[in-house]
Amino acid sequence: MECINFDEQFEQYEHDWIHEHAAEYGNSVDRMEEEMPALYEEWLHLPAEWLGGIRPCDYFARYDDAFLLCDWMLDYFRQNVPVPDLLISMCGYGSPMFSPKCFGEDGNFIEPAKGTGPFMLKEENPEQDVTAVRFDDYWGEKAKTQNIKLKTIKDADTRMAALKSEE
């Protein structure tokens, strides 16, 4: 499957927007930067000619084969193409933690999300497990455990047996 560089596409859209709107913002980079989250959201929902009329936010959602999506994500890594956020989310790659300052009272993001968390990656054994250790410089409450090991178990029956046995 083709690995499309969504970052480059957004950068072009952003560049064109800045060129069109710079005068409205008095050429203030700070003022224009404040518009970037809304601009990105707008870009995600516009039909894209470079995607055959599909909106960027819908591109990966058309696929429902988890193995295909995860293999596709690995292709992005192998080809050194920035991995689109939606593909990462759909493959469950990582478990982001967000600062409460990123959210409004309604629970929606009010600024670009800045990932952080009480743990940091220590070791990854592809298709086996991932180990995270407590990050003591975390801004919030410190984790109560020193480390967490997340095991990859592809077979649903084996996962259920591991869960029942508290593995």
Side-chain angles (χ1 to χ4, degrees):
M1 311 234 28
E2 182 182 5
C3 293
I4 299 168
N5 190 328
F6 283 72
D7 288 1
E8 281 181 358
Q9 296 294 332
F10 176 68
E11 286 170 12
Q12 183 62 53
Y13 185 79
E14 176 185 45
H15 176 270
D16 294 345
W17 183 88
I18 289 170
H19 184 73
E20 272 183 49
H21 296 88
E24 295 170 39
Y25 290 86
N27 291 315
S28 168
V29 173
D30 290 336
R31 288 185 54 216
M32 286 186 285
E33 189 172 310
E34 290 174 7
E35 297 297 323
M36 289 304 113
L39 186 68
Y40 182 70
E41 191 67 29
E42 174 184 284
W43 174 79
L44 282 173
H45 291 88
L46 290 174
E49 189 176 308
W50 50 275
L51 289 176
I54 297 168
R55 301 180 315 166
C57 67
D58 295 331
Y59 186 71
F60 294 102
R62 302 175 307 149
Y63 302 94
D64 60 3
D65 181 332
F67 291 108
L68 170 91
L69 289 166
C70 289
D71 285 344
W72 200 355
M73 183 175 73
L74 291 174
D75 285 345
Y76 269 88
F77 286 132
R78 288 183 192 113
Q79 295 177 32
N80 203 28
V81 176
V83 182
D85 297 340
L86 180 59
L87 182 56
I88 290 173
S89 297
M90 291 174 73
C91 291
Y93 187 78
S95 299
M97 302 284 214
F98 300 105
S99 166
K101 295 175 186 172
C102 293
F103 300 97
E105 289 181 12
D106 62 354
N108 290 316
F109 286 111
I110 56 172
E111 62 176 85
K114 296 175 181 75
T116 181
F119 292 94
M120 61 185 173
L121 184 65
K122 177 183 178 191
E123 182 179 51
E124 180 177 6
N125 300 305
E127 301 203 23
Q128 292 178 18
D129 57 51
V130 174
T131 302
V133 295
R134 184 170 67 196
F135 178 51
D136 289 325
D137 291 333
Y138 176 56
W139 61 269
E141 183 179 341
K142 304 299 176 242
K144 296 185 180 4
T145 186
Q146 289 292 322
N147 60 58
I148 294 175
K149 185 175 230 173
L150 304 171
K151 295 177 85 176
T152 300
I153 305 174
K154 289 184 179 182
D155 180 71
D157 293 333
T158 306
R159 276 195 309 273
M160 183 55 76
L163 182 64
K164 287 179 178 178
S165 69
E166 299 181 8
E167 183 178 325

